Amino acid sequence: MASFAARSASQVLRASRRTSAAVARAALKPQAASYSLLARTASAKVILNPTFQTVRGVKTLDFAGTKETVYERADWPLAKLQDYFKNDTLALIGYGSQGHGQGLNARDNGLNVIVGVREGGESWKQAVEDGWVPGETLFPIKEAIHKGTIIMNLLSDAAQSQTWPELAPLITPGKTLYFSHGFSVVYKEDTKVVPPKDVDVILVAPKGSGRTVRTLFKEGRGINSSIAVWQDVTGKAKEKAIAIGVGIGSGYMYETTFQKEVYSDLYGERGVLMGGIQGLFLAQYQVLRKNGHSPSEAFNETVEEATQSLYPLIGQKGMDYMYNACSTTARRGALDWAPIFEKANVPIFEKLYESVRNGTETRKSLEYNSRTTYRQDLAKELAEIDNQEIWRAGMYKVSRLLWDISMTSVFTGKVVRSLRPDYKPE
Ligand SMILES: NC(=O)c1ccc[n+]([C@@H]2O[C@H](COP(=O)([O-])OP(=O)(O)OC[C@H]3O[C@@H](n4cnc5c(N)ncnc54)[C@H](OP(=O)(O)O)[C@@H]3O)[C@@H](O)[C@H]2O)c1
């Protein structure tokens, strides 16, 4: 039952998404700028479809029995968005994954955006490559904060804590302080980030990497984001959060609190989104190899089929759909084993949640990411993963296959994780 309820909610949401995209495109028609450069090329005929028009207006969605309000980009036509921020300068502090995605999207949306990063650092170079102009739209951090009215703190979470003593006095009344994670203010005992009492403090946390924030925007779509208010001095903090959410490329925004955002985010990425799935892939692969299966067979049954076939089906149509797309043999076995995996994993997830809640994960992250060698240390650990047989298996096979079928261009890239001969690395 839960599965059907979830599916119908997601169907409503998808219908609403299509509608909103259509409405957004219609709203954009007479204007010079766009939510996305590519979206402008989309045909306005979509809006003529009556199905889209009838669904338009759904704002409260039922998620498996719980009603939630969803804020939509469609309510912020570009002219309204640009007018709302006409007296503002969005100062993006930090230009990592999120700085890049959010900054370029806001700039393409016609907002007044500047970037503040360490002079001469990696991010400075990256920002210049992306067209930010030193002295015009690219500044050292303190100068950017001085010029900005909305200070978007997109430094790494560890750097937010490290730099806070220097930056805090620059967050003067009238400015707005923005984060994309609840980390710094929620774990203030550890980070020491305590915002001044006289500024609005808001959050827009895209539910995806900064690269996805950018890609979806360019496709004319918008990423889902969480929004939250920590401190509302002006009485407009929530509205501002929604508007900035649209500005940086969100399509749909879900209200939460700083605390719930950071708990769920730290938990999810350590769990199924990253750590959990990495551990599960590896465990399955190892047992197959121990029992005499070849690397390609173990890879196919673990990574290839998951990422190339079954997980996309879950994403597109739901878990039940994925089951139905598989053999009755597969369905029977998976249905029997799912509760066994669930039972085995609940205690691990409970331990993980507690480790997030009590700040252990935060302290580890701050300690590790505050090291001067954090980039090299991380690169070393990731290289170790890259060197695991499971991932070498996927990479090796592709390069051989590309040779075997006499592709005109030889594959020289490194990050390929598929055994399909027609797979094209980006
Ligand atoms: N990445 C995601 O998928 C994601 C998703 C949602 C929310 N968020 C949140 O968004 C925020 C930004 O994350 P991110 O992943 O985009 O950034 P990041 O890669 O973690 O951080 C990179 C930025 O921090 C700067 N930085 C690091 N140490 C510094 C220091 N000591 N002093 C000054 N600058 C320093 C870097 O500049 P240099 O190049 O000069 O070192 C770079 O501009 C975080 O709060 C994060 O939790 C991230």
Side-chain angles (χ1 to χ4, degrees):
M1 282 303 286
S3 135
F4 284 114
R7 195 175 57 165
S8 71
S10 76
Q11 279 167 342
V12 173
L13 184 57
R14 276 196 294 272
S16 170
R17 277 187 192 132
R18 288 193 296 270
T19 305
S20 303
V23 171
R25 281 194 286 274
L28 292 174
K29 267 191 90 185
Q31 294 152 12
S34 170
Y35 288 124
S36 151
L37 299 176
L38 295 182
R40 265 200 303 171
T41 62
S43 163
K45 70 180 173 229
V46 181
I47 199 168
L48 300 176
N49 182 330
T51 317
F52 298 134
Q53 287 173 332
T54 51
V55 186
R56 175 76 188 102
V58 174
K59 292 288 176 68
T60 303
L61 295 183
D62 186 327
F63 290 94
T66 301
K67 288 196 171 33
E68 293 188 39
T69 304
V70 179
Y71 299 95
E72 301 176 60
R73 177 170 78 176
D75 289 332
W76 287 84
L78 266 183
K80 177 179 166 186
L81 186 74
Q82 290 167 355
D83 185 64
Y84 190 83
F85 289 118
K86 65 177 182 289
N87 298 321
D88 280 304
T89 299
L90 277 59
L92 264 133
I93 309 305
Y95 201 73
S97 167
Q98 288 298 325
H100 163 90
Q102 297 188 23
L104 293 181
N105 291 355
R107 188 172 74 180
D108 285 351
N109 273 338
L111 305 186
N112 182 22
V113 189
I114 60 173
V115 171
V117 285
R118 293 193 277 207
E119 258 178 307
E122 270 307 305
S123 298
W124 184 279
K125 284 184 226 152
Q126 182 62 54
V128 170
E129 271 175 35
D130 288 347
W132 303 95
V133 182
E136 285 179 28
T137 51
L138 175 61
F139 301 94
I141 291 176
K142 287 185 181 173
E143 204 176 332
I145 296 180
H146 179 68
K147 288 181 184 298
T149 56
I150 298 175
I151 313 305
M152 301 172 69
N153 197 334
L154 295 177
L155 296 172
S156 73
D157 295 309
Q160 290 180 20
S161 170
Q162 283 175 317
T163 56
W164 186 247
E166 269 187 277
L167 304 190
L170 309 177
I171 317 287
T172 49
K175 293 189 194 282
T176 296
L177 183 57
Y178 164 106
F179 294 95
S180 281
H181 203 2
F183 191 99
S184 287
V185 294
V186 170
Y187 295 106
K188 55 183 182 296
E189 308 301 329
D190 296 299
T191 64
K192 312 294 179 213
V193 175
V194 180
K197 284 268 165 267
D198 42 17
V199 299
D200 287 348
V201 182
I202 57 176
L203 169 145
V204 178
K207 296 290 112 185
S209 90
R211 302 286 152 188
T212 317
V213 171
R214 183 64 180 154
T215 313
L216 289 179
F217 178 81
K218 279 164 64 178
E219 289 171 5
R221 298 152 73 198
I223 195 151
N224 284 356
S225 295
S226 295
I227 56 151
V229 171
W230 180 261
Q231 202 164 269
D232 186 3
V233 173
T234 61
K236 297 247 156 117
K238 182 166 146 187
E239 183 185 70
K240 221 181 310 181
I242 296 166
I244 298 188
V246 173
I248 59 103
S250 313
Y252 299 92
M253 287 153 284
Y254 302 80
E255 194 171 0
T256 184
T257 64
F258 271 62
Q259 188 186 68
K260 288 209 169 94
E261 190 282 330
V262 70
Y263 282 13
S264 59
D265 193 70
L266 294 179
Y267 174 78
E269 65 204 9
R270 279 153 183 74
V272 155
L273 301 181
M274 294 170 71
I277 206 70
Q278 189 205 333
L280 215 52
F281 276 169
L282 199 54
Q284 173 162 313
Y285 182 89
Q286 280 167 358
V287 171
L288 282 168
R289 291 287 288 132
K290 257 189 219 157
N291 284 284
H293 297 267
S294 67
S296 68
E297 190 163 67
F299 185 89
N300 263 330
E301 283 301 331
T302 305
V303 180
E304 171 78 9
E305 198 168 335
T307 60
Q308 304 301 310
S309 171
L310 301 188
Y311 293 178
L313 292 183
I314 301 173
Q316 285 153 19
K317 305 228 171 165
M319 186 65 85
D320 58 338
Y321 183 90
M322 185 275 282
Y323 265 76
N324 275 325
C326 295
S327 70
T328 47
T329 313
R331 276 182 251 172
R332 181 65 266 138
L335 285 167
D336 291 343
W337 275 89
I340 299 171
F341 278 106
E342 183 188 341
K343 199 169 168 205
N345 279 292
V346 164
I348 300 173
F349 279 107
E350 272 167 355
K351 194 171 160 195
L352 169 58
Y353 194 87
E354 178 53 21
S355 186
V356 167
R357 199 198 54 73
N358 67 25
T360 304
E361 296 304 312
T362 297
R363 285 186 285 281
K364 275 194 207 162
S365 169
L366 284 173
E367 190 279 315
Y368 185 92
N369 293 315
S370 299
R371 296 182 202 161
T372 49
T373 55
Y374 84 95
R375 276 184 197 272
Q376 297 93 306
D377 295 348
L378 181 65
K380 191 163 161 268
E381 276 190 76
L382 294 184
E384 280 163 18
I385 293 178
D386 203 40
N387 203 30
Q388 285 167 353
E389 187 193 278
I390 181 174
W391 301 112
R392 283 189 287 114
M395 187 164 63
Y396 173 74
K397 184 76 181 210
V398 168
S399 14
R400 284 296 304 277
L401 285 170
L402 288 177
W403 271 109
D404 291 347
I405 58 171
S406 308
M407 299 287 283
T408 44
S409 60
V410 177
F411 166 66
T412 52
K414 185 175 82 68
V415 188
V416 176
R417 306 301 181 209
S418 172
L419 297 186
R420 278 162 46 219
D422 60 351
Y423 180 85
K424 298 235 178 8
E426 279 182 21

